[in-house]
């Protein structure tokens, strides 16, 4: 990379090229943590190169996913904590592609900011790299765009893109789902990365103190709790797929139960969810009571403590739960698959 490049004229317009070079230098040690055998390019090229290892895969299918962190970033700005939102960015992408049964291969990030502060960019990318490590994906490229006049100096946006691979015969496509199958919940770590426009309104985060510890949150503050990064489910789901036929997976994001669980169901089948079984996290009770939000709206906006749901046959249920618990997931049954056109019933 040409670190001698410098433009006084561009700097006078608010874009510091040298800050970008400094940020790249700070990123390198974090990026090195994510490197896998398929990576065959270095930081700074025009494209990230990745060599596919297709051993054992008869008909490879590439699966892609892209997403951002949304207005949860406002919490990072308010708390001046930037090392976790990168995990969120990766999670929102890899948790989507694992729903198809795909193993993530690599990730690219995009950071747009009002002012390139290398140390802050490093914190953001450190989080991205941690998310990549958790999902066994390599960070093979990215872009940092300094955009003065478009973003405020202390603000930025963060988005990402991931690619995974799955053998065609192993794609999770709900064709084998039947009445009597079981719906298993994988717990979330909190609000994850959806519904923050409502959350920020409920707590009026820009005017109220969000740093005070609250007994209702186990001694944690609202700000700290809301910045808890999205859980990444790649490893437990891949381990489950090795031993159990998974018939459907839903990543519970914006739209909550009502929008996301039906996306994994075929026509003619419905998910019957027993609400009393759902282990609702304290943060959701606090959101509901503070904002006077109806139960239906809560389940139609947030994950309510369930970050991902998995459908397996009843005879595979105990085995699936055992595998998931071995992988560190305190998974539990929340419902079953029944006949019907409603797609989802919460009762």
């Amino acid at each position: 990379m040409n670190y001698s490049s410098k433009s006084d004229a561009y700097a006078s317009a608010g874009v510091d090229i040298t800050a970008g070079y400094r940020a790249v230098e700070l990123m390198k040690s974090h990026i090195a943590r994510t490197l896998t055998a398929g990576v065959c390019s270095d930081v700074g090229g025009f494209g990230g190169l990745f060599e596919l290892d297709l051993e054992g895969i008869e008909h490879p299918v590439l699966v892609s996913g892209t997403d951002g962190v949304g207005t949860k970033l406002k919490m990072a700005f308010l708390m001046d904590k930037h090392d976790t939102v990168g995990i969120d960015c990766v999670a929102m992408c890899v948790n989507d592609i694992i729903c198809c049964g795909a193993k993530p291969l690599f990730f690219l990030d995009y950071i747009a900011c009002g002012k390139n502060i290398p140390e802050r960019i490093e914190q953001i990318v450190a989080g991205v790299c941690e998310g990549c490590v958790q999902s066994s994906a390599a960070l093979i490229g990215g872009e940092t765009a300094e955009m003065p006049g478009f973003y405020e100096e202390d603000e930025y946006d963060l988005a990402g893109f991931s690619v995974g691979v799955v053998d065609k015969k192993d794609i999770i496509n709900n064709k084998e789902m039947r009445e009597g199958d079981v719906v298993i919940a994988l717990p979330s770590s909190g609000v994850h990365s959806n519904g923050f426009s409502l959350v920020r309104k409920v707590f009026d985060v820009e005017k109220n103190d969000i740093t005070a510890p609250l007994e209702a949150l186990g001694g944690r503050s609202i700000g700290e709790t809301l910045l808890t990064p999205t859980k990444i489910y790649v490893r437990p789901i891949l381990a489950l797929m090795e031993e159990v036929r998974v018939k459907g997976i839903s990543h519970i994001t914006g739209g909550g139960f009502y929008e996301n669980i039906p996306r994994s169901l075929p026509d003619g089948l419905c998910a019957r969810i027993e609400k009393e079984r759902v282990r609702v996290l304290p943060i959701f009770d606090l959101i509901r009571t503070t904002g006077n939000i109806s139960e239906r709206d809560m389940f139609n906006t947030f994950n309510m403590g369930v970050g991902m749901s998995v459908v397996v046959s009843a005879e595979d249920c105990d085995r699936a739960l055992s595998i998931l618990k071995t992988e560190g997931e305190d998974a539990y049954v929340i419902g079953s698959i029944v006949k019907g056109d409603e797609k989802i019933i919460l009762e």
Side-chain angles (χ1 to χ4, degrees):
M1 186 170 288
N2 180 16
Y3 294 105
S4 64
S5 174
K6 182 180 179 181
S7 170
D8 291 334
Y10 211 3
S12 71
V15 179
D16 185 352
I17 297 173
T18 59
Y21 298 152
R22 171 66 176 153
V24 171
E25 284 299 321
L26 294 174
M27 294 176 197
K28 284 186 175 180
S29 63
H30 302 291
I31 295 172
R33 298 179 58 219
T34 77
L35 299 184
T36 61
V39 179
C40 45
S41 61
D42 200 359
V43 178
F46 287 101
L49 306 180
F50 192 91
E51 182 178 5
L52 279 173
D53 178 4
L54 299 178
E55 183 177 355
I57 301 178
E58 298 175 8
H59 300 286
V61 176
L62 295 179
V63 181
S64 60
T66 185
D67 210 336
V69 183
T71 63
K72 183 174 184 174
L73 292 175
K74 288 281 190 180
M75 302 304 304
F77 304 159
L78 290 169
M79 298 291 289
D80 194 22
K81 181 174 173 56
H82 311 281
D83 60 350
T84 60
V85 290
I87 301 174
D88 290 298
C89 190
V90 175
M92 295 304 291
C93 297
V94 298
N95 283 347
D96 277 355
I97 67 176
I98 196 65
C99 290
C100 301
K103 176 184 177 181
L105 297 173
F106 57 81
F107 188 84
L108 290 88
D109 63 352
Y110 175 79
I111 304 169
C113 57
K115 182 176 178 59
N116 187 332
I117 302 173
E119 293 74 17
R120 186 170 63 194
I121 299 298
E122 178 194 11
Q123 291 181 49
I124 298 168
V125 174
V128 171
C129 291
E130 174 59 28
C132 287
V133 169
Q134 290 183 25
S135 56
S136 300
L139 180 61
I140 65 169
E143 173 71 12
T144 301
E146 191 172 15
M147 303 167 65
F150 194 87
Y151 292 96
E152 296 295 330
E153 284 196 0
D154 60 347
E155 294 189 348
Y156 57 86
D157 199 4
L158 174 62
F161 172 84
S162 186
V163 171
V165 65
V166 61
D167 201 326
K168 191 172 184 178
K169 70 179 186 303
D170 296 325
I171 294 174
I172 298 172
N173 55 21
N174 75 31
K175 291 182 179 179
E176 296 180 23
M177 200 175 293
R178 299 289 185 270
E179 182 182 17
D181 288 342
V182 175
V183 182
I184 294 174
L186 277 66
S188 71
S189 56
V191 181
H192 284 183
S193 299
N194 299 100
F196 272 84
S197 294
L198 177 56
V199 169
R200 291 186 299 109
K201 177 184 177 183
V202 166
F203 293 128
D204 200 1
V205 295
E206 294 183 350
K207 294 181 180 178
N208 292 325
D209 181 10
I210 59 172
T211 63
L214 296 179
E215 185 177 347
L217 298 177
R220 303 177 78 200
S221 69
I222 289 174
E224 180 185 5
T225 302
L226 293 177
L227 270 184
T228 302
T230 305
K231 184 182 284 191
I232 292 175
Y233 298 97
V234 170
R235 290 176 180 171
I237 292 297
L238 289 176
L240 180 64
M241 287 177 58
E242 288 183 1
E243 299 189 48
V244 171
R245 185 60 179 173
V246 177
K247 299 185 177 185
I249 302 179
S250 295
H251 181 199
I252 313 300
T253 57
F257 281 54
Y258 284 98
E259 180 176 324
N260 291 288
I261 292 179
R263 294 169 65 181
S264 68
L265 306 179
D267 291 340
L269 291 181
C270 169
R272 174 176 287 158
I273 305 299
E274 300 174 50
K275 286 185 294 187
E276 70 274 8
R277 289 196 176 196
V278 177
R279 300 171 187 172
V280 178
L281 296 175
I283 184 61
F284 296 110
D285 289 329
L286 189 61
I287 292 170
R288 179 180 56 79
T289 56
T290 303
N292 191 28
I293 301 171
S294 71
E295 183 181 65
R296 192 193 190 286
D297 280 356
M298 289 296 296
F299 275 92
N300 207 161
T301 306
F302 302 107
N303 67 63
M304 300 300 286
V306 179
M308 187 163 278
S309 66
V310 176
V311 177
V312 299
S313 63
E315 53 266 34
D316 284 336
C317 181
D318 289 343
R319 189 179 177 198
L321 291 173
S322 176
I323 293 167
L324 289 169
K325 288 180 180 179
T326 298
E327 293 296 318
E329 291 294 329
D330 190 16
Y332 60 99
V333 175
I334 56 170
S336 60
I337 302 299
V338 297
K339 289 184 178 179
D341 296 322
E342 294 183 69
K343 286 297 186 182
I344 185 167
I345 299 172
L346 271 73
E347 59 183 17

